[in-house]
Amino acid sequence: MEKIRTIEWKNNHVMMIDQRLLPHQEIFVQCKTYKDIACAIQTMVIRGAPAIGVAAAMGIALGVKKSKAKNYSSLKKEFLKIYEILYASRPTAVNLRWGLERMKKLFYSLKNTSLEKIKLTLEKEALYIYEEDIKINRKMGANGKQFIQDGFNVMTYCNTGALATAGYGTALGVIRAAHEEGKKIHVYVCETRPYLQGLRLTSWECYKEGISQTVICDNMAASVMAKNKINAIFVGADRIAKNGDTANKVGTYSLAVLAKYHHIPFYVVAPTSTIDSTCPDGSHIPIEERNPKEVTHIKNQPVGLKKVNVYNPSFDVTPHELILAIITEKGVLRLNSA
Ligand code: MRU
């Protein structure tokens, strides 16, 4: 049983821990409709690529379950509307599309089935996707922990733990697996401006797991590396193009460049559902731009000038040349030599 319940299916609603309020308040949000789920994804109640994929699948199941359609063709119309609304909630993490497509394929295969059975089958599938995600994360942990030796200092970025997935985590899952094996490790947690997923969420997860940590501002990463303190860096991914270019939280690219200069192995940890085989390279990955207030304000308090030009891309693309290997549930894909 996971210590952190990121998202839970509750028969006729979905519960999510409100990640905007962590680590100081542990409040759960109740999503009664698929629109509530789309809104929760858009407003960052839930975030992290695999968690968004699970939420989208549950959104479909909830929307279809609550439909009053009397036949397959009207249900199909509603299904496609639910699909579109969830699809539009966030653009970069391909796991969202992956979860929706999986539900769509199943829905289409049930054309000659009773509406009751369709509703039940979609609900079961969403729950299966949830359970499967936790298993996949544990497999990635098992595949990746070999790269963390006893006594290692590792660095991580954004939040890639239980909160970013159905449970356990991707990059933080690898760190957890090494910790669970009894290796003595220390994690440098980058704060991850502007949304502070590292400071607020990863640090909280490390605390809960009893993993030794030091939080640093993002601009301290270079000097921490220069002092020879970091043995390996583990990050997650929101979309991996066919050539290995990887979109992840903005700032990941800077870490990868720094890692190359300091000869530190740089690993991406992601389920195969994050690989977009329709995307040839990183230049084709849509990058979400978010509200400028995330940059100029902290907790709704203005810190900089109120009227100033702001650029706030939520993700950046790390070229495949900078990634040593991609750790997936199916194995380790080596992209470069050390
Ligand atoms: O904007 P967010 O918080 O959804 O961004 C999350 C990340 O960039 C994570 O690193 C990524 O989704 C991998 S999580 C397992």
Side-chain angles (χ1 to χ4, degrees):
M1 170 73 86
E2 289 294 314
K3 283 184 202 144
I4 298 168
R5 309 290 284 173
T6 305
I7 180 165
E8 261 185 292
W9 177 268
K10 293 271 187 192
N11 194 31
N12 59 3
H13 63 266
V14 170
M15 294 299 287
M16 297 174 186
I17 192 162
D18 191 341
Q19 300 195 25
R20 298 167 305 183
L21 304 175
L22 290 171
H24 299 297
Q25 283 175 282
E26 290 181 39
I27 307 266
F28 288 82
V29 167
Q30 188 184 42
C31 297
K32 291 185 185 157
T33 66
Y34 75 88
K35 283 189 181 160
D36 291 344
I37 294 189
C39 179
I41 295 173
Q42 198 168 32
T43 59
M44 307 282 275
V45 169
I46 190 162
R47 30 67 48 204
I52 293 174
V54 172
M58 287 188 180
I60 292 272
L62 194 63
V64 168
K65 187 169 185 176
K66 297 212 165 167
S67 162
K68 299 218 168 8
K70 295 274 182 283
N71 54 48
Y72 183 81
S73 86
S74 1
L75 186 60
K76 186 173 162 190
K77 264 193 203 142
E78 275 187 47
F79 181 98
L80 293 174
K81 189 176 152 216
I82 297 167
Y83 180 105
E84 287 307 322
I85 287 178
L86 286 162
Y87 187 80
S89 58
R90 281 194 84 188
T92 304
V94 76
N95 307 64
L96 177 85
R97 186 183 79 194
W98 172 90
L100 293 173
E101 280 300 317
R102 185 153 152 179
M103 296 299 274
K104 183 153 102 181
K105 213 168 151 197
L106 181 63
F107 179 78
Y108 282 1
S109 76
L110 296 167
K111 190 169 188 272
N112 299 314
T113 316
S114 75
L115 299 190
E116 262 332 287
K117 181 93 192 285
I118 292 177
K119 292 179 180 185
L120 208 66
T121 311
L122 291 183
E123 180 177 332
K124 272 193 184 157
E125 182 70 359
L127 278 171
Y128 184 77
I129 289 174
Y130 168 88
E131 299 289 351
E132 185 186 58
D133 186 59
I134 300 176
K135 285 188 194 139
I136 285 173
N137 293 333
R138 288 187 178 273
K139 273 192 194 150
M140 288 190 292
N143 290 341
K145 66 184 179 187
Q146 57 178 308
F147 303 114
I148 303 182
Q149 290 171 25
D150 192 40
F152 259 27
N153 286 317
V154 299
M155 185 176 275
T156 192
Y157 200 69
C158 195
N159 171 262
T160 61
L163 290 166
T165 59
Y168 203 75
T170 59
L172 198 58
V174 167
I175 294 169
R176 263 177 91 168
H179 170 76
E180 282 167 7
E181 214 177 34
K183 289 174 181 159
K184 223 172 139 347
I185 54 175
H186 189 81
V187 186
Y188 283 82
V189 176
C190 297
E191 63 168 347
T192 320
R193 274 279 290 157
Y195 210 75
L196 303 175
Q197 288 93 332
L199 173 69
R200 297 188 303 104
L201 309 176
T202 300
S203 177
W204 183 66
E205 287 201 39
C206 286
Y207 168 76
K208 286 213 166 225
E209 292 300 324
I211 300 173
S212 155
Q213 62 170 312
T214 300
V215 174
I216 58 168
C217 298
D218 302 331
N219 53 6
M220 297 165 189
S223 62
V224 171
M225 289 183 205
K227 284 180 184 151
N228 234 344
K229 277 188 174 166
I230 304 298
N231 302 103
I233 300 174
F234 295 87
V235 299
D238 286 83
R239 191 181 300 228
I240 302 174
K242 239 170 135 180
N243 70 345
D245 291 352
T246 294
N248 192 48
K249 181 53 55 198
V250 65
T252 304
Y253 177 29
S254 328
L255 276 194
V257 172
L258 292 172
K260 182 91 179 166
Y261 182 81
H262 292 99
H263 309 289
I264 298 168
F266 189 89
Y267 299 97
V268 167
V269 188
T272 47
S273 54
T274 305
I275 300 171
D276 183 356
S277 56
T278 67
C279 179
D281 61 59
S283 67
H284 293 82
I285 300 177
I287 301 292
E288 175 183 18
E289 281 192 38
R290 295 185 59 84
N291 192 329
K293 272 180 98 179
E294 288 179 1
V295 174
T296 53
H297 291 55
I298 292 183
K299 294 254 167 216
N300 267 330
Q301 292 300 314
V303 179
L305 293 173
K306 279 188 187 160
K307 285 203 171 161
V308 67
N309 286 333
V310 169
Y311 176 49
N312 186 20
S314 196
F315 302 93
D316 61 22
V317 176
T318 300
H320 61 91
E321 294 89 346
L322 299 178
I323 299 166
L324 179 59
I326 299 177
I327 299 163
T328 75
E329 78 279 17
K330 296 198 175 146
V332 178
L333 191 66
R334 186 79 182 229
L335 298 188
N336 291 288
S337 48

